[in-house]
Amino acid sequence: DAGITQSPRHKVTETGTPVTLRCHQTENHRYMYWYRQDPGHGLRLIHYSYGVKDTDKGEVSDGYSVSRSKTEDFLLTLESATSSQTSVYFCAIGGNLHEQYFGPGTRLTVT
Amino acid sequence: QQQVKQSPQSLIVQKGGIPIINCAYENTAFDYFPWYQQFPGKGPALLIAIRPDVSEKKEGRFTISFNKSAKQFSLHIMDSQPGDSATYFCAASRSGNQFYFGTGTSLTVIP
């Protein structure tokens, strides 16, 4: 998985609780991305980062925040999880040529 | 509003056949068009990508055809094998920032 790890790999949480997902890379790539994957929707970009402390919103950013304090780590936080945020979350990294490499994913269930 | 429209949703071919998956986009500012392959339980993997200054790109058995005037691009898999059975996603990006994915095509190659 191109030097990308995601943690946790599986998580079950209750509605209203905060959740943080972590993406870690060893490739020193500039770009990092968070996606969610849902049946019938493909992959949808939540947030992305183009450098340390430089982030921007994707098409489905409501209810999510991100932080990148180091090149290798990109955190996705659900401030107050809802059932609609039950999904598989993928982190990706990208270089200056726009190629993207995806992590193994985190399956999140909000009950 | 779906930025990238992908068809068909599913496809079944015989071994040796040439499945074709099509994508269409509207935003003429897109400058990078990748295809990803995803196996169950795994993250998407970059398969092949094209930029709008060329009309075709081949990598092994995979070919992208790109029609800039029609704003369409397609993936052809030559001599398809059962091991090619997977879900395929097209995507489009502007300058490596926002990526928009199609909804995916489930390909089954029958031995």
Side-chain angles (χ1 to χ4, degrees):
Chain A
D1 290 321
I4 311 169
T5 56
Q6 292 184 233
S7 58
R9 293 294 314 279
H10 301 270
K11 186 171 182 65
V12 180
T13 192
E14 293 184 350
T15 298
T17 59
V19 177
T20 296
L21 308 183
R22 179 179 182 245
C23 178
H24 179 78
Q25 64 151 326
T26 58
E27 305 295 321
N28 200 36
H29 278 322
R30 176 186 176 192
Y31 292 91
M32 297 186 77
Y33 309 82
W34 275 108
Y35 291 89
R36 59 178 291 173
Q37 185 173 34
D38 305 288
H41 290 277
L43 291 115
R44 291 180 292 175
L45 183 65
I46 305 171
H47 283 278
Y48 67 98
S49 169
Y50 45 95
V52 173
K53 299 192 189 307
D54 292 323
T55 65
D56 206 348
K57 296 179 179 180
E59 63 179 315
V60 290
S61 59
D62 287 348
Y64 302 95
S65 63
V66 290
S67 66
R68 191 171 179 197
S69 59
K70 298 185 292 184
T71 298
E72 57 267 34
D73 290 326
F74 193 32
L75 304 181
L76 176 70
T77 297
L78 290 65
E79 300 291 346
S80 178
T82 68
S83 58
S84 65
Q85 293 175 314
T86 291
S87 186
V88 179
Y89 290 85
F90 286 101
C91 173
I93 62 175
N96 291 328
L97 297 179
H98 306 170
E99 71 284 7
Q100 282 192 327
Y101 302 98
F102 283 80
T106 293
R107 183 171 295 277
L108 176 67
T109 303
V110 183
T111 62
Chain B
Q1 179 183 355
Q2 192 76 25
Q3 295 272 350
V4 177
K5 295 181 180 179
Q6 182 173 346
S7 63
Q9 186 175 357
S10 63
L11 192 53
I12 301 173
V13 299
Q14 296 279 352
K15 177 183 173 182
I18 305 175
I20 300 172
I21 305 170
N22 301 298
C23 285
Y25 64 97
E26 287 298 324
N27 189 343
T28 55
F30 289 145
D31 58 5
Y32 179 71
F33 302 89
W35 284 90
Y36 293 86
Q37 178 188 58
Q38 186 178 30
F39 293 104
K42 302 291 186 182
L46 179 63
L47 200 57
I48 185 173
I50 197 168
R51 299 183 191 276
D53 52 344
V54 297
S55 60
E56 185 176 276
K57 183 174 182 180
K58 292 182 181 181
E59 285 187 6
R61 296 185 292 109
F62 300 94
T63 299
I64 299 179
S65 297
F66 186 83
N67 186 329
K68 189 174 181 178
S69 61
K71 292 185 285 187
Q72 295 175 348
F73 58 110
S74 59
L75 177 70
H76 303 234
I77 305 176
M78 307 301 176
D79 187 28
S80 58
Q81 301 296 314
D84 295 330
S85 297
T87 300
Y88 292 82
F89 293 94
C90 63
S93 169
R94 178 171 180 261
S95 303
N97 293 326
Q98 297 270 2
F99 276 79
Y100 297 92
F101 281 74
T103 52
T105 297
S106 177
L107 172 66
T108 302
V109 181
I110 300 171

